[in-house]
Amino acid sequence: MSTLEIDRARKLYGELEVLKEVSISIGTGDFLVLLGPSGCGKSTLLNMIAGLEEISGGEIRIAGKVVNDLSPKDRDIAMVFQSYALYPTMTVRQNIEFGMKIRGVPQAERDKAVKTAADLLQMTHLLNRKPSQLSGGQRQRVAMGRAIVRQPKLFLFDEPLSNLDAKLRVDMRTEIKRLHARLGTTIVYVTHDQIEAMTLATRVAVMKDGVVQHLDDPQSVYDRPANVYVAKFVGSPSMNIIPAKLEVKEGRAVAVIDIPGAAPTELAGIPVSSQAAAKYAGRRVLVGIRPELFSLAGAQSAQKLSVNIDVVEPTGPDTLALFQAGGVEVTARVPPRAVAARTPATLAVDTAKIVLFDAETEQRID
Amino acid sequence: MSRPTPLSNRIEHWLPRLVLAPSLLVVLVAVYLFICWTGWISLSSSMIVPKYDFVGLNQYVRLWSTPRWHTAVFNLFVFSTLFLALTTGLGLLMAILLDQKIRVEGTLRAIFLYPMALSFIVTGTAWKWILNPALGVQKVINELGWTSFVFDWIAQPTFAIYCVVIAAVWQSTGFAMAIFLAGLRGIDNSVIKAAQIEGASLPRIYRTIVVPMLRPAFLSVIVLLSYIAIKSFDLILALTNTGPGSATEMPSTFMYSATFRRDQMGVGAASAMMMLMTVAAIIVPYLYSELKESRDGH
Amino acid sequence: MATNAASLATSSTPLATNARSFRRQHRIGRAVIYGSLFFMAAFYLMPLWVMITTSVKHLDEIYAGSFIGLPQQISFDAWRTAWSEACNGTACKGLKPYFINSLLLTIPAVIMSTGIGAINGYVITKWRFPGSNVIFGLLLFGCFLPFQAVILPMAQTLGILGLAGSLPGLVLVHTVYGIAFTTLFFRNYFVSIPDELVRAAKIDGAGFIRIFVSIMLPAALPIIVVSCIWQFTQIWNDYLFGASFTAGENAPITVALNNIVNVSMGRKEYNVDMAAAMIAALPTLFVYVVAGRYFVRGLTAGAVKG
């Protein structure tokens, strides 16, 4: 059993509050990703879990045990750092067994653990090299090996892939996922890369200014973001946030969007409760539409927007079409060669997946 | 935090401070307390032994009415100006020349820098011999046929200070060169290439683009050389022994002889405080800006 | 290159003449650069040359012949005199005892000040606490202290400690005033070692001392060399402290050298002076030749961002 409970954890640097009563709790085998831009407090939180930063308020429990006053070595954790933090003067083997040596693990057991980890990460041939003789990906592997041999209750990853080039990053991402599947250890993983969060996590906590904005499984965070900030941070290209007016027609919510050079267009079939619809009737709201909710309109399409395409950006598998609507630039993901720049087009919208936000608070309207 | 923390954690918490404490204490005593102590002596009537009374600024008045001190301050001014200008100029020139993809750069650099490894006493001894009018450079040139050539500065009260300048420049140029060279190596090469494509000549590129970019190196060189100039002591002792007469007296030598030879401890302390204030006026703002910059940089 | 230029020249287009004059200009420029560099190199080598040649000449040759030329006959008598017979005003035992003094005082002072600087730099960079930066600033000023400002109290203090005029006293003084520079060296070096290394070690269970000994010190080898060389050069070459805090038998080599050179009895023995100066210079010159790279790093460290 290796659960992690973060209970109203706070961090103060003097007067400055960098974490404001953060509460997150995950179960055994979960893969929690702390996602956010730099300065959002995600790394601070990770360091507090690790015991590298003091906890100013609240509690952190690992496997049900309060660890606030335990030093890192007593928390039963292992950590992989952004710069890998390999000890430069030690060989790979020495790096991996340093912790065991300090704990007084006998030589035979150390050798066995090193061998297991090296086999698992396919780096047996690297054991006698120094970190300076390794490539970025190999260093990453060694850092993970060093963490694995501890057999910790909790793995902590601090932006482990951000020093790698794009191709390697994808490979290592898969490797981490595989490792998690094989070992089943609970993981806390910090990143600013939303794709890493989506691909790896079982739970994502999107953070901003020391506050958790949204905590859920990745697909839910993607589909029903808690607020405009999360909506824009997760997904690439990010969710279109279009100002519109909400009206109620025949008891159902309809969003009215201004289209330049044309009459305002109505989109119906938006999933909001009737109470919310009634509350916001006649008010300005923000309509969140993911780019892939657009498609080329056919004869059957019920909900349509007729727009003028400004720019098209082919990406290969599909093309991004940019146009103006509701006073903002909107991106639609359409099939290749479906539309051309500076020509009109009619796009269908899958309104069942639209998300509405309050124009003032920017919180999701359910 | 009311929860009791384990003892080992608390030791770990205090250990770094405990380890640093002795050094801090030693420096507080040996630098800051000692400075105050010297300051106090400078306000007392101490002569042969320290006396801890208070006579106000009497010693400073005496100091500034001593002609020898006037010579010392004047010499320091002449010496520093020439020393700074020549060392900085020559050092920059060397660095720029060495930066032109020179084949034997390593050897030349080593040659320009080796005097820095020598003691000023050794430097003084060597130059005293070279500048010796009877047997040194003057004689060599006389024997080459230029019989009227005279180079006896070291024996001339008006010119002896320039001998000190020559020896000091010889010793310290390598240092300026090393810092400038490090600065030049830190400059992005593409800037120079861009200017070359624009058609600028090499001297012009250096004058208008590269040298202005060396501003931090200039600051370092000038500050550190000023410090060397103000405290220079051994070189004068070995080269001219403050002579002829007291023509090459400097504040550092004045302080030493007032204190240890002429039993004017109070005056000596006052001159030491004057030196300290001069150094502090140059160094403190420099250190402050260096530290501030590095904090901003992180 | 040359054939290319010739074939281009036959066509004698304006472009080709341009290229030719450009190349000629370039060649002249290179010549000027090399010329000036070699001239300056000659000037910088001249004193060393003069010292060495003078030290192996006979005194008669010195008084008769040119001082810059090669010796007619090489003799190491002057070196022998300087090493074991030259007089310094009190005794005529040459430089030997003072050379040993300098070794005896330099070695412990170098080791102690480097050790203390290493641990200080480690604390200041990796175990920051409120006020640690202020402490660093306080230490740093010590790098630029004009020692005249502390000589008097130091002399008094050494007297109180019973160390006046002794070698251990001088070792203490050099260690104390060396801490500022050694701390600066190690601080600037350790600052470039990522903090994550310390964090990783903490998670591995290593403590303050273990991290220092097992991780930081092995990684700090280059800067240990820099610090040792710098301290060695500084302490070996020091004159002010040696002249102020020691007397007679206990003087370091720089003081003895100055005394030997300034003793004037009869005909001045310039060859002995130069041999003595060379003897005093050899240890630091040797270190410079062997480890010049590290010497330069120490030299420029004071100018590198703190």
Side-chain angles (χ1 to χ4, degrees), chain A residues 47 79 81 83 85-87 150, chain C residues 196-197 199-201 203-205 218:
Chain A
N47 284 333
M79 190 158 170
F81 294 88
S83 66
L86 301 181
Y87 310 127
R150 295 209 62 175
Chain C
E196 289 189 343
L197 220 54
R199 295 178 171 190
I203 287 176
D204 271 339

Side-chain angles (χ1 to χ4, degrees), chain B residues 65-246:
Chain B
S65 53
T66 312
R68 234 186 141 98
W69 174 251
H70 285 260
T71 317
V73 172
F74 178 73
N75 277 338
L76 177 62
F77 177 75
V78 172
F79 172 75
S80 324
T81 313
L82 285 171
F83 170 67
L84 275 174
L86 288 173
T87 310
T88 312
L90 263 177
L92 180 63
L93 179 69
M94 276 178 188
I96 289 176
L97 291 180
L98 278 181
D99 201 30
Q100 306 307 313
K101 301 193 176 63
I102 298 298
R103 262 171 207 282
V104 283
E105 188 200 314
T107 314
L108 286 169
R109 226 173 34 199
I111 291 172
F112 295 146
L113 251 173
Y114 85 90
M116 274 308 275
L118 302 180
S119 163
F120 272 117
I121 299 291
V122 172
T123 303
T125 307
W127 280 93
K128 190 172 169 179
W129 165 233
I130 295 164
L131 297 168
N132 179 329
L135 296 164
V137 170
Q138 181 183 321
K139 189 178 179 198
V140 175
I141 302 212
N142 289 161
E143 277 170 6
L144 283 176
W146 186 0
T147 47
S148 60
F149 177 80
V150 177
F151 187 60
D152 59 351
W153 286 2
I154 201 160
Q156 300 280 351
T158 349
F159 292 110
I161 192 72
Y162 302 119
C163 293
V164 183
V165 173
I166 293 172
V169 168
W170 176 79
Q171 172 129 9
S172 305
T173 319
F175 169 64
M177 176 212 71
I179 292 178
F180 282 129
L181 202 55
L184 285 173
R185 295 283 145 88
I187 289 176
D188 182 6
N189 239 339
S190 57
V191 176
I192 296 178
K193 280 184 197 150
Q196 268 173 335
I197 288 167
E198 302 244 17
S201 68
L202 212 54
R204 191 194 175 106
I205 291 172
Y206 271 96
R207 206 176 57 241
T208 56
I209 298 170
V210 176
V211 172
M213 282 173 86
L214 288 176
R215 217 183 67 92
F218 269 100
L219 186 68
S220 301
V221 167
I222 289 174
V223 167
L224 298 172
L225 289 180
S226 315
Y227 167 66
I228 293 177
I230 293 167
K231 68 165 202 155
S232 63
F233 169 72
D234 5 13
L235 178 62
I236 290 148
L237 234 49
L239 186 61
T240 62
N241 200 8
T242 74
S246 61

Side-chain angles (χ1 to χ4, degrees), chain C residues 16-57:
Chain C
T17 35
N18 266 352
R20 207 163 9 142
S21 79
F22 175 77
R23 215 162 297 155
R24 191 187 314 131
Q25 240 177 19
H26 180 76
R27 220 170 297 148
I28 294 170
R30 298 302 285 181
V32 170
I33 289 172
Y34 275 95
S36 351
L37 280 173
F38 285 131
F39 176 76
M40 285 194 276
F43 174 72
Y44 276 81
L45 279 175
M46 182 267 287
L48 187 64
W49 167 257
V50 168
M51 276 165 80
I52 294 171
T53 52
T54 306
S55 72
V56 294
K57 282 177 188 168

Side-chain angles (χ1 to χ4, degrees), chain A residues 47 50 52-53 72-73 77-79 81-90 98-99 102 146 150 158, chain C residues 193-207 210-211 214-221:
Chain A
N47 284 333
L52 297 168
E53 299 246 21
K73 64 174 194 291
I77 50 154
M79 190 158 170
F81 294 88
Q82 180 174 0
S83 66
Y84 320 130
L86 301 181
Y87 310 127
T89 54
M90 300 184 194
F98 183 65
I102 290 177
R146 193 170 62 180
R150 295 209 62 175
D158 188 4
Chain C
I193 292 182
D195 289 353
E196 289 189 343
L197 220 54
V198 174
R199 295 178 171 190
K202 277 188 198 168
I203 287 176
D204 271 339
R210 185 82 182 229
I211 296 174
S214 301
I215 295 167
M216 299 304 269
L217 269 192
L221 204 62

Side-chain angles (χ1 to χ4, degrees), chain A residues 19 44 57-58 76 100-101 113-114 139 201 213 226 245 289 299 313:
Chain A
L19 280 185
T44 309
D76 209 352
M100 290 188 283
K101 237 177 179 167
V114 170
R139 285 178 207 188
Q213 306 288 321
K245 200 170 139 200
I289 309 177
E313 295 172 346

